Amino acid sequence: MVAYQAVDQVLRDERDFSSAAYADSMVRVVGRSFLEMDGAEHRAWRNALHGGFHRQAVTEQRSRVRRSVDARLRALADQGGGDLVGDLAFPVALTTIAGIIGFPPGTRIGTLYTWAVGLLDDADGKIATAVAEWLGTPSAWPARSLVGRLLRHEDPVIGTGPELLPTVRLLLSTGTEPPFRSLATLMYAVLSDPALLETARATERGATAVIQECWRWECPLTWVLRRCSTDTDRLDIHRRPLPHLAMGTGPHICLGRHLAALEADEILAGLARMAPRVGPGRPALDTDGVEGRGFRSPRRLTLRW
């Protein structure tokens, strides 16, 4: 708890612990965005984006996420199995955040992947140039999309048109990478221990407990590295609830935390709905488990029915 309190203090104290530290890393990749801003400048961006990420706005995405989860699970079942990371968690997270940002349905996942997760893969800048030109056409973006909200915002701090390019790229990247990794870890947990899936589908409270405990147990993004000489932690949804910082806290608390919870809830529900099609035996799961340093999650979850 002492360590938790220390980290909590650092994340809340903008005066002594500035987010400008990201200027040496992310700025070089995506450009200057609200990630490395502090104080009033950061709050202006948060206020402008809040309308697309508050709880009610995210709840409106549930049916879209559910259709995506069910369609991809049905495809996996029809072909006898597949990789739950590459064929489910990743595309669900990527297409969901792309839709919220304002990219039209049908935008190629490969293109979004190159720009969002590859980051450095757009070597000739063609994708960035195309999106920058697109940002110069306000009518091309739905009014309730994140870009639509930013283009209508009157605060001069926000800027307009191509000036929004770094933030759009940041939203696409951070709305894909950590969520799909946390979804992969969640599926790894419930498929490795069927009792967890039963707990999750029994009640809404049970599902919330499983999701929150998985976030605490194996956070998808870690930047402070330690090596444990003995086992120190385990997944236990029946423990006394412990606070966690998987979604951050303070002025930079994760904008997409409610969206991440909704996606996780629908993944659990989708897996539960598929259970009758699996039959009495447990599906065979082939995985290397949770691994990684900067980003943590299973690299693959190959399921065979």
Side-chain angles (χ1 to χ4, degrees):
M1 186 56 70
V2 173
Y4 171 88
Q5 292 171 343
V7 174
D8 182 79
Q9 178 183 349
V10 168
L11 292 176
R12 291 181 182 277
D13 187 348
E14 289 185 293
R15 185 189 65 183
D16 294 331
F17 303 98
S18 173
S19 295
Y22 283 106
D24 294 330
S25 54
M26 290 300 290
V27 173
R28 298 179 182 180
V29 179
V30 304
R32 189 170 187 271
S33 69
F34 64 91
L35 182 65
E36 62 270 10
M37 298 174 186
D38 293 312
E41 186 181 26
H42 177 251
R43 288 192 295 274
W45 279 92
R46 297 281 298 201
N47 290 338
L49 292 166
H50 177 70
F53 283 110
H54 61 71
R55 193 182 301 274
Q56 181 178 349
V58 165
T59 298
E60 294 172 0
Q61 299 292 327
R62 185 176 293 278
S63 60
R64 177 195 294 183
V65 174
R66 179 173 296 174
R67 288 194 301 270
S68 180
V69 168
D70 282 350
R72 295 181 186 283
L73 277 173
R74 282 196 302 270
L76 286 172
D78 291 343
Q79 65 191 28
D83 180 14
L84 295 178
V85 178
D87 297 331
L88 178 62
F90 179 81
V92 165
L94 177 57
T95 57
T96 298
I97 189 61
I100 292 173
I101 290 172
F103 287 97
T107 304
R108 293 183 64 250
I109 287 182
T111 300
L112 293 173
Y113 170 82
T114 295
W115 208 48
V117 182
L119 291 180
L120 298 176
D121 292 346
D122 184 27
D124 55 10
K126 288 184 179 179
I127 300 176
T129 299
V131 177
E133 293 177 354
W134 200 5
L135 287 169
T137 310
S139 60
W141 301 87
R144 297 189 65 188
S145 70
L146 293 179
V147 171
R149 295 172 190 275
L150 292 174
L151 288 172
R152 298 195 317 275
H153 206 276
E154 298 179 355
D155 193 322
V157 170
I158 304 301
T160 188
E163 295 173 326
L164 301 177
L165 190 65
T167 289
V168 171
R169 193 170 191 181
L170 177 70
L171 288 168
L172 192 57
S173 176
T174 56
T176 301
E177 185 91 32
F180 99 75
R181 292 184 181 277
S182 64
L183 292 172
T185 297
L186 174 67
M187 291 189 291
Y188 166 72
V190 300
L191 291 172
S192 299
D193 183 356
L196 290 178
L197 185 56
E198 290 298 322
T199 298
R201 69 175 176 177
T203 64
E204 181 179 346
R205 184 175 181 179
T208 299
V210 171
I211 293 168
Q212 292 287 332
E213 174 65 1
C214 280
W215 285 353
R216 186 207 62 79
W217 176 56
E218 281 289 359
C219 185
L221 174 62
T222 61
W223 296 109
V224 179
L225 306 181
R226 297 291 189 271
R227 182 178 297 277
C228 296
S229 57
T230 59
D231 290 337
T232 58
D233 204 358
R234 62 191 174 88
L235 180 69
D236 180 6
I237 67 165
H238 301 294
R239 72 170 76 246
R240 176 179 58 83
L242 293 176
H244 63 75
L245 297 169
M247 297 294 167
T249 190
H252 284 259
I253 189 170
C254 179
L255 265 173
R257 61 194 184 280
H258 300 312
L259 178 61
L262 183 147
E263 291 173 343
D265 191 47
E266 287 302 321
I267 286 282
L268 284 175
L271 289 173
R273 288 192 293 272
M274 289 297 297
R277 297 184 62 179
V278 174
R282 287 177 55 184
L285 180 65
D286 181 18
T287 178
D288 46 14
V290 180
E291 62 177 32
R293 290 192 174 183
F295 289 100
R296 289 184 59 76
S297 70
R299 292 181 179 274
R300 58 183 176 81
L301 292 170
T302 304
L303 199 63
R304 298 296 177 197
W305 288 305

